Amino acid sequence: MVTVNRIPVTLAALMEVNLDRCYRPVSFSRLLFAVLWIAGICLPSSVFAINFYYNIDRPQPLFECDQKAYAGDVEGARSCYDEILQADDQYSDAERALAAEVLGEFKQANRLFRDAAADDQSAAINTAWGRLYLRTHQVGEASALFREALLIDSTYKPARIGLADALSRQYIGRAGEQLAEILADDPQSIPANLLQARMLLEAQQVDAGRQVLMQVLQYAEQQSLPKLEAYALLASADLLDGVYDSEWTERALSENPSYGGIYDVPAHFYIITYRYREAVALYSKAVAIEPTLAEAQSKLGINLLRINDVNGARHHLVKAYELDPFNTETVNTLRLLDDLDDMRVTYADILPDGAGPGSEPIGRMLLRLDRDEADTLMPYVVELVSDAVRVFTERYDFRLEKPVVVELYHNHDDFGVRTVSTPGVGLLGVTFGYLLAMDSPKARSTEDFHWGSTLWHEMAHVFTLEAANHLLPRWFSEGISVYEEWHTGPLPSRELPVQVLQMFNEGRFLPLADLDSGFVRPTYEGQVNVSYMQAGLVCDYISSRWGHEALVKMLKLFSIGATTNTALKNAIGIETPEFDREFREHIATRYEIILENVRHWGQLGQILDNSLSRLERDAGVLGQTGLDENLQALREIAIQRRDYYPEYIGEGTPYLVLATIDDRLGDAEAALEHRWEWFLRGGAVPDLMEALARDLRLAGRDDDAFRVLESLNWVMPYGSEIHRQLGEYYLARGDAAKAVREFDALLGVRPADASVVLLGKANAFRLQGKLDDARKNVLLALEQAPFYREAQSLLLELNAGE
């Protein structure tokens, strides 16, 4: 039986399949879906969505059909295109291919473009073919065809615009550069101006975007070209300015009552500003007036899933798939729904600190975890989510109104599908409001993924998004989450990547008013991460200078629609230009030493790395005295490097270099202190943490050792020996709740002797006075090992007097 990977078969392969019959999907189990997908689903005859063509070389017969479509005469337009498609003796292969594309006959369009290209290797044919690939979501193949067209004619404007469009869909900076060159050559190009306006609106530069769009209307009027896309983007600009009943919506519907794009396009801007419920409302309007708008059906399904409406999501995704089986977002999300059905679902109350039996919960959670790791992860997820709700309820003066839904995926591809359509790169987690999704610890290398910090970060998003009714700029929401990771999260790291400091040195920190663009439209590699760190630094600076309450006040101001400048001015008394200047001065002072020495800091790291490797090789030749002298010299270099940037705990961190040197010099106590300092500053590499905990215990520092092991759980929670040690440690110190957590996690990793673990749980429950739970667990222990004397003794004690 044929199966498919998460990344579907390419369009080119699908288009070459010969079909004897057509299938329509009736179920989305993996087996049936795989068969239908490989077979190449036949599109229903009603598929027809409005597309806009502005290039001057549009063939006249198609131009006449286009006008009918723009006016909302769907049946007349369909008949017009179909007449062209069927008349193979009257129209060229290229003309018929263009008609087939509009009608949704993508396989036939692909064959016709291929035949046309075989007869005429022109820039126009390759460009039109590339647009077919864009229409069917194959951005890479489309880009290749646009580049082939430009090899034929480097000045061909439609190909240049097509390539810029393809790049813009990948959210990379080169799209803006290419667009600037196109507009310099042809300032009145309508498609180029529309693309520029869209990118400006995505970067929250609403006034600039609106100005471009007003010019587009003039150009369209002069050239007798459609204005509907401009209307949709102007409605989007109004939406971003808080105007929800836009005049442009009415104008578009008066020209074409069935133009679903007037709702579909603005909905995109709700998504990139976190307003998923409002996006659902707009997509619902879009499909109501244009049911064959596959993109809107797909987005509606995806966003219903984001607000935890699983049944509604499935309904619209099935419709989207019937209309457009080439959309990988639709395909993969339908497959994800099967995976959701297989996840373990758990509900839990969240009680206030110190709450006794019968206390009123301050929140509820619904957890979805993969079954093979649910037993191990559940205790930690419940604890961390509960702690976060308690902390953030108080810190942000907001109480959750609905249960928070938490999903952890052990397959990163599944998580990637869950976050589909969200701009950004390298995501670890994503929050849609009351629902958050993230990788589980199994999905990524523990070297660079601390799942506990990620969950804490996303829980902060739940509060900021819901407290502000999703009306907050991205920089503020991300900044608060980074700031909370630093101040209240389970791991203490405050390290800034060196690239962030280098970008500050180069003047690449964005003004606060433009900071959102660094997340959505990065202009250099790594800018998204730089923007995260800058946003965190901004929130940290506001809190340190004006107090945490200033952040809370800004959050409340955003909830009533304030702009960044208004919120800042009302919360701390200064406007963004002055804030930008003071913030830059603060960062320059705070990181003065490393900023002045960042190049030398890097050179010292190379010297240490090379020299330590050379000493390993030459130790026998140098002798002990020579070796010690060299090690002492390197020790001074490592100290200098550490003092340049004490927060640095990444690869080649001076703390671990110093520990290695002191070990070789025979000073084990100093080496241990360096490793301990590395941990205190946020070092979190599992193997190194386990070794540090072992050394601390050997040194008689049990409390420090178990502090390290506790932190290790938020990085790599699958070590059975770690859970055993922690369970016994907490039990001995009377912390019954944490002992139960550790014994539950230990049972989740399937220990060799479960009876010992169950007895530990029974003893912990007895400490809490939960005698029924204690009795239940000791009986389970005796089921595993009937002659287990300690369990027998505890059962006798529990039953004494009965």
Side-chain angles (χ1 to χ4, degrees):
M1 187 59 63
V2 179
T3 58
V4 293
N5 295 324
R6 177 67 61 188
I7 305 296
V9 180
T10 66
L11 175 65
L14 284 171
M15 288 180 169
E16 298 308 314
V17 177
N18 292 318
L19 293 179
D20 295 324
R21 55 196 301 186
C22 297
Y23 297 87
R24 292 174 64 92
V26 294
S27 168
F28 277 90
S29 67
R30 289 179 179 82
L31 181 61
L32 180 58
F33 170 74
V35 171
L36 297 179
W37 179 253
I38 292 297
I41 301 299
C42 288
L43 296 173
S45 60
S46 61
V47 172
F48 181 88
I50 301 170
N51 289 275
F52 298 94
Y53 305 95
Y54 303 101
N55 45 315
I56 57 176
D57 58 353
R58 184 77 168 163
Q60 183 62 32
L62 287 150
F63 181 82
E64 294 174 1
C65 301
D66 295 340
Q67 301 312 303
K68 296 178 185 290
Y70 301 154
D73 181 5
V74 174
E75 291 306 318
R78 181 185 286 111
S79 297
C80 183
Y81 291 121
D82 191 57
E83 182 180 335
I84 294 172
L85 178 60
Q86 301 304 325
D88 55 354
D89 57 344
Q90 186 176 350
Y91 299 101
S92 69
D93 286 338
E95 290 171 331
R96 295 175 60 224
L98 290 167
E101 177 194 342
V102 178
L103 291 169
E105 300 290 347
F106 299 137
K107 284 180 59 181
Q108 189 172 0
N110 188 58
R111 286 197 298 269
L112 287 167
F113 275 129
R114 182 187 58 202
D115 293 344
D119 296 334
D120 179 12
Q121 273 292 326
S122 70
I125 289 176
N126 277 293
T127 300
W129 202 0
R131 282 198 299 267
L132 171 66
Y133 278 85
L134 270 188
R135 171 95 181 267
T136 49
H137 321 285
Q138 304 290 316
V139 177
E141 289 86 345
S143 297
L145 281 164
F146 294 137
R147 289 190 171 96
E148 286 183 29
L150 291 171
L151 287 174
I152 298 168
D153 181 357
S154 62
T155 65
Y156 189 58
K157 183 172 60 180
R160 295 170 67 194
I161 294 170
L163 183 57
D165 189 2
L167 292 173
S168 77
R169 299 182 189 209
Q170 298 171 305
Y171 293 93
I172 54 181
R174 292 194 302 277
E177 298 169 8
Q178 299 227 1
L179 205 53
E181 293 175 3
I182 294 167
L183 289 168
D185 293 341
D186 182 6
Q188 296 191 15
S189 167
I190 290 177
N193 275 290
L194 286 170
L195 184 55
Q196 183 191 43
R198 184 185 186 92
M199 292 169 63
L200 287 168
L201 295 181
E202 287 175 341
Q204 304 293 303
Q205 298 178 36
V206 180
D207 291 340
R210 185 180 281 109
Q211 183 177 355
V212 171
L213 290 166
M214 296 307 293
Q215 293 175 337
V216 168
L217 291 182
Q218 294 179 16
Y219 303 150
E221 183 71 30
Q222 294 164 3
Q223 301 172 48
S224 300
L225 291 172
K227 304 173 187 174
L228 292 174
E229 280 190 296
Y231 292 157
L233 286 169
L234 282 164
S236 303
D238 283 351
L239 179 151
L240 291 170
D241 275 344
V243 178
Y244 306 121
D245 294 322
S246 174
E247 63 175 297
W248 304 107
T249 303
E250 296 178 10
R251 192 173 301 191
L253 293 175
S254 68
E255 291 188 16
N256 182 342
S258 61
Y259 176 48
I262 195 60
Y263 298 117
D264 173 66
V265 173
H268 167 75
F269 294 91
Y270 269 141
I271 291 172
I272 66 174
T273 53
Y274 303 112
R275 300 173 66 180
Y276 305 103
R277 290 188 288 270
E278 292 91 336
V280 163
L282 284 185
Y283 285 129
S284 297
K285 290 183 177 181
V287 301
I289 63 172
E290 192 176 351
T292 58
L293 189 56
E295 185 76 6
Q297 293 279 10
S298 176
K299 295 296 186 186
L300 177 54
I302 288 168
N303 283 281
L304 284 168
L305 188 56
R306 286 171 171 170
I307 61 174
N308 206 37
D309 183 350
V310 177
N311 291 330
R314 191 185 302 273
H315 172 75
H316 287 283
L317 286 164
V318 167
K319 284 189 173 182
Y321 182 75
E322 291 175 342
L323 294 166
D324 179 6
F326 300 107
N327 188 327
T328 57
E329 294 180 0
T330 303
V331 170
N332 288 336
T333 307
L334 280 165
R335 294 186 65 184
L336 177 67
L337 285 171
D338 283 342
D339 294 338
L340 283 181
D341 291 340
D342 290 338
M343 296 175 82
R344 182 186 295 179
V345 177
T346 303
Y347 296 88
D349 286 334
I350 302 166
L351 300 175
D353 268 332
S359 297
E360 182 71 20
I362 60 171
R364 283 182 60 78
M365 69 181 86
L366 183 157
L367 309 181
R368 290 192 182 107
L369 303 176
D370 289 290
R371 291 184 181 275
D372 65 348
E373 60 180 345
D375 289 335
T376 301
L377 281 183
M378 187 75 67
Y380 300 106
V381 176
V382 168
E383 179 177 309
L384 191 140
V385 171
S386 299
D387 286 346
V389 169
R390 287 190 282 264
V391 168
F392 296 143
T393 298
E394 181 177 349
R395 282 174 68 79
Y396 293 98
D397 189 27
F398 177 77
R399 182 162 176 165
L400 297 180
E401 298 171 354
K402 297 179 181 179
V404 59
V405 181
V406 179
E407 299 174 355
L408 272 70
Y409 294 91
H410 71 178
N411 183 327
H412 177 68
D413 287 340
D414 286 339
F415 167 66
V417 171
R418 195 61 164 108
T419 66
V420 70
S421 302
T422 302
V425 294
L427 296 173
L428 305 176
V430 64
T431 301
F432 303 117
Y434 281 106
L435 187 150
L436 70 88
M438 57 176 282
D439 281 323
S440 85
K442 280 188 177 179
R444 286 178 175 265
S445 166
T446 54
E447 296 290 325
D448 56 8
F449 175 51
H450 304 159
W451 75 275
S453 293
T454 298
L455 181 51
W456 194 265
H457 178 108
E458 299 305 328
M459 284 299 300
H461 276 310
V462 172
F463 276 81
T464 55
L465 289 173
E466 294 302 334
N469 196 27
H470 293 232
L471 294 173
L472 74 175
R474 182 163 184 173
W475 76 262
F476 188 78
S477 187
E478 298 296 358
I480 288 288
S481 287
V482 173
Y483 157 81
E484 289 295 348
E485 275 190 72
W486 290 343
H487 287 276
T488 59
L491 296 172
S493 176
R494 291 292 304 272
E495 175 196 7
L496 290 181
V498 175
Q499 184 202 18
V500 175
L501 298 169
Q502 289 172 328
M503 293 302 101
F504 177 82
N505 258 352
E506 294 176 14
R508 294 206 186 188
F509 270 27
L510 292 170
L512 191 57
D514 298 332
L515 186 50
D516 274 10
S517 66
F519 295 97
V520 180
R521 289 291 178 189
T523 58
Y524 59 85
E525 186 175 355
Q527 187 177 11
V528 171
N529 189 50
V530 172
S531 299
Y532 271 95
M533 294 297 102
Q534 182 182 344
L537 288 167
V538 166
C539 292
D540 191 55
Y541 174 55
I542 292 171
S543 176
S544 64
R545 181 169 171 186
W546 291 279
H548 177 76
E549 282 306 309
L551 294 172
V552 178
K553 187 172 183 179
M554 289 182 70
L555 183 64
K556 292 180 178 180
L557 288 164
F558 285 129
S559 74
I560 56 174
T563 64
T564 289
N565 189 64
T566 301
L568 202 65
K569 184 177 180 180
N570 280 275
I572 66 176
I574 61 175
E575 297 186 346
T576 50
E578 184 180 353
F579 177 85
D580 287 336
R581 178 181 57 78
E582 294 186 9
F583 174 68
R584 285 193 297 269
E585 292 174 356
H586 165 73
I587 297 299
T589 300
R590 169 69 177 80
Y591 295 97
E592 179 180 8
I593 297 175
I594 181 60
L595 289 171
E596 290 178 354
N597 297 280
V598 65
R599 180 172 295 181
H600 190 220
W601 179 89
Q603 291 171 343
L604 293 179
Q606 292 178 345
I607 291 171
L608 287 169
D609 186 46
N610 293 336
S611 298
L612 285 170
S613 299
R614 190 169 58 251
L615 284 180
E616 287 279 358
R617 186 182 67 243
D618 299 340
V621 176
L622 290 169
Q624 190 61 49
T625 302
L627 180 61
D628 288 353
E629 288 175 354
N630 277 274
L631 287 170
Q632 287 289 0
L634 291 179
R635 193 176 192 279
E636 293 304 315
I637 294 174
I639 289 172
Q640 184 181 9
R641 190 167 190 255
R642 178 199 64 189
D643 293 344
Y644 278 160
Y645 189 21
E647 289 90 349
Y648 183 71
I649 53 171
E651 185 177 359
T653 172
Y655 296 105
L656 298 183
V657 172
L658 285 166
T660 298
I661 291 171
D662 284 337
D663 271 335
R664 294 183 185 179
L665 289 170
D667 192 344
E669 185 176 346
L672 182 59
E673 284 305 317
H674 291 309
R675 293 188 176 97
W676 176 243
E677 180 69 16
W678 166 79
F679 165 74
L680 291 178
R681 289 190 176 275
V685 178
D687 291 345
L688 298 178
M689 295 173 79
E690 288 188 67
L692 174 60
R694 183 175 60 250
D695 292 343
L696 287 167
R697 292 198 74 181
L698 290 173
R701 297 167 57 177
D702 280 6
D703 288 345
D704 289 343
F706 285 103
R707 178 178 171 183
V708 174
L709 293 179
E710 174 72 16
S711 295
L712 182 55
N713 281 325
W714 306 115
V715 182
M716 193 284 297
Y718 303 113
S720 58
E721 181 60 20
I722 295 166
H723 295 313
R724 184 190 64 77
Q725 291 182 41
L726 282 168
E728 292 173 356
Y729 172 79
Y730 288 128
L731 189 60
R733 281 155 180 76
D735 190 340
K738 285 195 173 180
V740 169
R741 181 198 69 183
E742 292 303 322
F743 291 132
D744 278 339
L746 182 52
L747 288 170
V749 295
R750 309 293 189 268
D753 190 351
S755 62
V756 176
V757 186
L758 290 164
L759 180 62
K761 276 187 68 177
N763 278 309
F765 281 128
R766 184 178 63 166
L767 276 179
Q768 292 177 305
K770 298 179 179 179
L771 300 185
D772 287 342
D773 288 330
R775 189 177 292 106
K776 174 183 174 182
N777 278 275
V778 77
L779 288 171
L780 289 171
L782 287 168
E783 282 184 10
Q784 298 278 327
F787 301 105
Y788 188 8
R789 286 186 176 277
E790 288 84 351
Q792 292 173 340
S793 298
L794 179 58
L795 182 61
L796 288 173
E797 291 179 30
L798 292 170
N799 289 337
E802 291 189 5

